[in-house]
DNA sequence: CGCCACTTTGAATTAGCTCAAATTCCGTGG
DNA sequence: CCACGGAATTTGAGCTAATTCAAAGTGGCG
């Protein structure tokens, strides 16, 4: 149960050194599993459907609300935000998508997309005809399984968003957001100790239901408490020495009454 | 384009009398379509799958988080709340389900339900084996279509919830909630001018991300402004003379700056 | 009838918002 | 290479919407 130490790199982007707890190794194993699952699904899609591949850059619109639906997308790399626009003009970021995530489920019900999908970074998006997917899935049930799991997972994730917004104070929401983002990277085999926020404070605030100033203050507070740190020059790179620290911060904000009453 | 007036009933539960606007008739037509769609799907399920039928009463747990997943449910009647419980003990109502709605999608991804489903009223719930559904759908593609549309619709609805919580002040959130509930009834062929809240103020507040006191104050304000009315004796029955009034209240709360400036 | 859970309303408090100003960063062009 | 300008961010100060705390009111049900 001993994880070998890594060699320190000279610059300040080395992971923090600590013994791995049993919990952490279990979590790491879970991430490994997730990662394998994503790669497996990507291979399956690539082989069974020969999806169209498209490179997108920050700002590119992948699909727009109202466009007629005929295909789903799966992200091979990059980062995408899903934005919903209400009739009365409110704009809401309702989701973030990473490698392996599917886009466009909202289009199935009414044959038209209900949201915009906008790239926030360079990446590759695969396009999969919904018709073709259904057709192929009769001979390859794993395709259907992958589709259903992805939809199911999206429903669960959306509920987590709602729970965060409804039950956490602003500071904790930001901490929870960073935790979610880092975990998302971890599940995809990427480092969890540093993330590059490709969203402005305003976008983060919109996603979390608070103002950009509150996001900024929350980040400053987390940095002050050494739960995160900003990489020198630029406030888009966030260093997270210990993921559990973020989770602990969230918990702490839920039970501030627990003074040492003994 | 003339809708016949109805006879006034002696008690105070008569619908308000107004000419139907083109918008309203379009909305009514939309509701009719929705209603037909729901009934059609229910028939399809009944014929193709002979689902298990179960009567539930208020408080009954239909499934619980953690239970192993093997079947979905479809509501034939009644009202169900979906409750998510986080690891750190936060409880969040993440959805409400009416006739025609499916339950249990969250179970597909990990073969275990991620939420509790609790009946809030007497009703009938149909149980559909997920395996059997997939099997039957190879010969009856409309089953798969119904499943996918239901999942897609749930994703869209969840995003609407998030948008409401993130972008509306408390009062408007309650108004929006009532509007959603009445619309949901309308889509199922029920009257939209009166709803019986089968949730306490605390449950509503939980769902909308606010305290029970704020819910109460918001309802009082809506009643004061005659946008809703409480049916005499008991504050669970809410009369909605005009659905558009609720929508207008929401809009108003978004643009309070629009004074009569030319 | 009386209990208990739910609801309403008021008063005081506060978390988060708005408004404002200063600072940093980054791309562009001289 | 450096100066400049605009966009994003940070931070402070005051304000306000919503919460917390408290008390009274209401209704359902054994």
């Amino acid at each position: 149960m001993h994880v070998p130490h890594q060699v320190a790199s000279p610059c300040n982007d080395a992971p923090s050194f600590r013994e791995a707890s049993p919990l952490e190794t279990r979590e790491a194993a879970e991430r490994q599993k997730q990662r394998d699952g994503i790669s497996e699904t990507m291979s399956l899609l690539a082989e069974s459907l020969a999806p169209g591949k498209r490179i997108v850059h920050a700002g590119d619109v992948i699909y727009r609300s109202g466009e007629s639906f005929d295909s789903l997308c799966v992200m091979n790399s990059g980062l995408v935000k899903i934005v919903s626009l209400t009739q009365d003009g409110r704009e809401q970021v309702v989701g973030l998508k990473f490698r392996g995530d599917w886009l466009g489920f909202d289009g199935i019900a009414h044959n038209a997309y209900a949201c915009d999908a906008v790239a926030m970074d360079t990446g590759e998006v695969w396009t999969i005809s919904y018709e073709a997917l259904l057709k192929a899935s009769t001979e390859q049930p794993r395709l259907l399984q992958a589709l259903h799991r992805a939809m199911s997972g999206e429903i669960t994730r959306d509920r987590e968003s709602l729970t965060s917004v409804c039950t956490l104070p602003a500071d904790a929401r930001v901490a929870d957001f960073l935790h979610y983002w880092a975990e998302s990277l971890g599940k995809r085999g990427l480092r969890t100790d540093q993330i590059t926020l490709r969203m402005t404070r305003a976008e983060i605030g919109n996603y979390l239901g608070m103002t950009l100033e509150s996001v900024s203050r929350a980040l400053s507070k987390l940095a002050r408490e050494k739960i995160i740190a900003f990489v020198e020059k630029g406030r888009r790179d966030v260093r997270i020495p210990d993921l559990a620290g973020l989770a602990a911060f969230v918990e702490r904000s839920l039970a501030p009454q627990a003074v040492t009453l003994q």
Side-chain angles (χ1 to χ4, degrees), chain A residues 14 17-18 31 43 45 80 87 89 104 123 150-151 158 162 191 210 253:
Chain A
F17 293 174
R18 294 178 301 102
R31 281 203 287 264
S43 309
L45 290 171
V80 165
Q87 291 196 316
M151 294 183 88
D158 287 352
L162 183 67
R191 60 190 303 184
M210 56 208 233
S253 72

Side-chain angles (χ1 to χ4, degrees), chain A residues 65 84-92 114 206:
Chain A
S65 175
S84 168
L85 188 69
T86 65
Q87 291 196 316
D88 49 23
R90 285 171 286 154
E91 198 174 276
Q92 179 64 44
N206 179 285

Side-chain angles (χ1 to χ4, degrees), chain A residues 189-211:
Chain A
L190 303 169
R191 60 190 303 184
T192 64
D193 66 330
Q194 183 165 331
I195 62 189
T196 300
L197 298 175
R198 290 184 157 79
M199 308 169 75
T200 64
R201 303 292 187 255
E203 283 174 311
I204 296 170
N206 179 285
Y207 183 44
L208 301 178
M210 56 208 233
T211 60

